[in-house]
C-alpha cells in the first residue's frame, strides 16, 4: 500500500502582512494517506483516502479518524476503526467483517455498504445510498435524500428515512422507533421487529407493511411493539401479517389503508380501513421487485472498480 505518514511539526499563518510560525504541540498529529493495498498493520493516527484515489485494507487497525475524500473509494475487510469514518462527496465506503467504534457519516456520497460489521456509533447518511446487511448498529440509523435498505440488521437505536427515494427494512430488529417520511417510492417493512412506535407519513407510491405485496414477497410476520401511525400518505398502503401491540392510527391518506386478514392490532384502531383489493392480491403473486438487488449490483460494480484501481496503485509501505 502506498501509505505516506505526515508528522505535523509547525503551522504557518498570515498575520499583519507577514508569516508567523506556530510551534506544534509535543504530541503532534500523525496522518496516514492511503492509496493502494494495505494489510494487517496498525495506523496509530488518522487515515485519509485522498480525492479520487482508491484504498483497500485487509486486517488493518486504525486508531484515529478515517476520512474518504471526494470521489475516493475505501474497501475494508476485517478491519478495526477506533474512531469516526467520514465519507465525502461521490465517495464510497464498502466495509465487511469489521468494527467501527465511532460514527459513520456520509454527505453527498455515492454510497455506503456495511455488511457483517458492528458500527458502535451509529450511521448517518445524507444523499447516496446506505445498504446495511447482517450488521449490528449500536446507535441510530438516519438517512435522508437517498436510498435506505436494511436487511438482517440489529439496531439498538432508532431508524429514520426522510425524503428518501425509498426506505426498506427486511428481517431486522429496531430497538427504538421507526419513522419513514416523504419517501418518493414509499417503503417495505418485512419480517422485522420494532420495539418502539412506527410512523409512515407523507409518503408516495407504495407502502407494504408486512405480508406479500407488490414490492416484495414476505412470508414471515412483523411485530410492532408500540403504536403504528399511517398518516398523510398519497401512497397505496397495505398492512398484513403484522402484530401491532399498540394502537393503529390512519388518517389524511389519499387512499384508504388496506388491512389484510393476517394483521392483528391489539391496542385498537382509529382509522377507516378496507380489505386488500383484488389487484393488490394479484400483484402479491407476481414476481416481486426487491430493490436490494439493484443496490447489490451498484455495490459489486463500484467495489470491483475500487479494488482494480487499488491493485494498480501497488503495494508496500
Amino acid at each position: 500500500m502506498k501509505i505516506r505518514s505526515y508528522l505535523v511539526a509547525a503551522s504557518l499563518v498570515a498575520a499583519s502582512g507577514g508569516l508567523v510560525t506556530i510551534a506544534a504541540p509535543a504530541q503532534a498529529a500523525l496522518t496516514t494517506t492511503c492509496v493502494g493495498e494495505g494489510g494487517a498493520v496498525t495506523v496509530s493516527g488518522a487515515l485519509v483516502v485522498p480525492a479520487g484515489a482508491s484504498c483497500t485494507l485487509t486486517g488493518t487497525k486504525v486508531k484515529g479518524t478515517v476520512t474518504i475524500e471526494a470521489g475516493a473509494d475505501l474497501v475494508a475487510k476485517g478491519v478495526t476503526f477506533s474512531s469516526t469514518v467520514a465519507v465525502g462527496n461521490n465517495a464510497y465506503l464498502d466495509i465487511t467483517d469489521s468494527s467501527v467504534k465511532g460514527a459513520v457519516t456520509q454527505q453527498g456520497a455515492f454510497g455506503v455498504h456495511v455488511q457483517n460489521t458492528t458500527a458502535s456509533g451509529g450511521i448517518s447518511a445524507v444523499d447516496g445510498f446506505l445498504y446495511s446487511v447482517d450488521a449490528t448498529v449500536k446507535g441510530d440509523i438516519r438517512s435522508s435524500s437517498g436510498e435506505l435498505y436494511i436487511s438482517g440488521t440489529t439496531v439498538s437505536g432508532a431508524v429514520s428515512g426522510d425524503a428518501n427515494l425509498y426506505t426498506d427494512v427486511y428481517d431486522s430488529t429496531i430497538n427504538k422507533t421507526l419513522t419513514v417520511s416523504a419517501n418518493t417510492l414509499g417503503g417495505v417493512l418485512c419480517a422485522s421487529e420494532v420495539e418502539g412506535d412506527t410512523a409512515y407519513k407523507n409518503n408516495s407510491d407504495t407502502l407494504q407493511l408486512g405480508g406479500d405485496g407488490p414490492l416484495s414477497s414476505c412470508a414471515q410476520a412483523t411485530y410492532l411493539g408500540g403504536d403504528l401511525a399511517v398518516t398523510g400518505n398519497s401512497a397505496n398502503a397495505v398492512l398484513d401479517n403484522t402484530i401491532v401491540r399498540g394502537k393503529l392510527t390512519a388518517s389524511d391518506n389519499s387512499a384508504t389503508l388496506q388491512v389484510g386478514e393476517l394483521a392483528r392490532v391489539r391496542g385498537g384502531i382509529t382509522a377507516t380501513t378496507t380489505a386488500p383489493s383484488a389487484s393488490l392480491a394479484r400483484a402479491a403473486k407476481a414476481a416481486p421487485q426487491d430493490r436490494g438487488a439493484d443496490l447489490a449490483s451498484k455495490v459489486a460494480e463500484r467495489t470491483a472498480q475500487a479494488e482494480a484501481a487499488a491493485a494498480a496503485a501497488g503495494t508496500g509501505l
Side-chain angles (χ1 to χ4, degrees):
M1 174 174 55
K2 294 181 179 177
I3 287 186
R4 293 171 290 177
S5 297
Y6 299 99
L7 186 63
V8 179
S11 299
L12 295 177
V13 296
S16 303
L19 292 176
V20 179
T21 301
I22 307 296
Q27 296 296 325
L30 182 67
T31 299
T32 298
T33 298
C34 177
V35 180
E37 299 176 312
V41 299
T42 297
V43 177
S44 59
L47 184 139
V48 174
V49 185
S54 292
C55 170
T56 61
L57 298 174
T58 304
T60 310
K61 296 180 180 180
V62 181
K63 294 184 177 181
T65 60
V66 176
T67 302
I68 308 167
E69 295 185 342
D73 301 310
L74 174 58
V75 178
K77 300 175 182 179
V79 304
T80 300
F81 292 149
S82 297
S83 187
T84 59
V85 179
V87 188
N89 185 54
N90 196 35
Y92 174 60
L93 170 65
D94 184 288
I95 183 168
T96 59
D97 302 317
S98 300
S99 67
V100 181
K101 296 181 181 179
V104 177
T105 60
Q106 65 123 307
Q107 180 73 43
F110 173 78
V112 170
H113 172 226
V114 179
Q115 185 162 353
N116 294 322
T117 289
T118 298
S120 297
I123 306 175
S124 175
V126 179
D127 294 334
F129 67 78
L130 173 54
Y131 184 26
S132 176
V133 182
D134 298 332
T136 299
V137 180
K138 297 180 179 179
D140 297 338
I141 291 180
R142 301 192 179 278
S143 170
S144 60
S145 304
E147 302 169 71
L148 177 58
Y149 191 100
I150 302 172
S151 175
T153 295
T154 299
V155 185
S156 2
V159 171
S160 65
D162 179 51
N164 283 332
L165 189 60
Y166 58 82
T167 297
D168 291 351
V169 179
Y170 287 84
D171 193 26
S172 295
T173 299
I174 301 168
N175 288 329
K176 293 186 179 179
T177 59
L178 169 63
T179 305
V180 180
S181 58
N183 281 231
T184 306
L185 297 180
V188 175
L189 180 60
C190 169
S192 295
E193 182 175 337
V194 182
E195 293 297 332
D197 293 339
T198 300
Y200 284 83
K201 54 187 180 182
N202 303 324
N203 298 286
S204 305
D205 200 87
T206 305
L207 293 174
Q208 181 184 326
L209 312 181
D212 288 337
L215 295 178
S216 178
S217 176
C218 186
Q220 295 178 314
T222 289
Y223 173 81
L224 305 181
D227 296 335
L228 170 62
V230 183
T231 60
N233 300 284
S234 62
N236 292 314
V238 59
L239 171 69
D240 202 3
N241 200 15
T242 298
I243 298 172
V244 182
R245 187 170 182 179
K247 64 182 179 181
L248 167 63
T249 300
S251 62
D252 301 321
N253 298 301
S254 298
T256 303
L257 174 65
Q258 301 175 65
V259 178
E261 61 183 11
L262 296 180
R264 299 289 183 268
V265 180
R266 306 301 188 198
I269 299 176
T270 305
T272 299
T273 63
T274 186
S277 65
S279 61
L280 182 68
R282 288 193 297 270
K285 295 179 181 179
Q289 299 296 316
D290 187 342
R291 290 181 282 228
D294 291 335
L295 279 186
S297 178
K298 287 183 183 180
V299 164
E301 182 177 2
R302 183 78 176 235
T303 298
Q305 291 173 353
E307 290 176 334
T315 59
L317 295 178

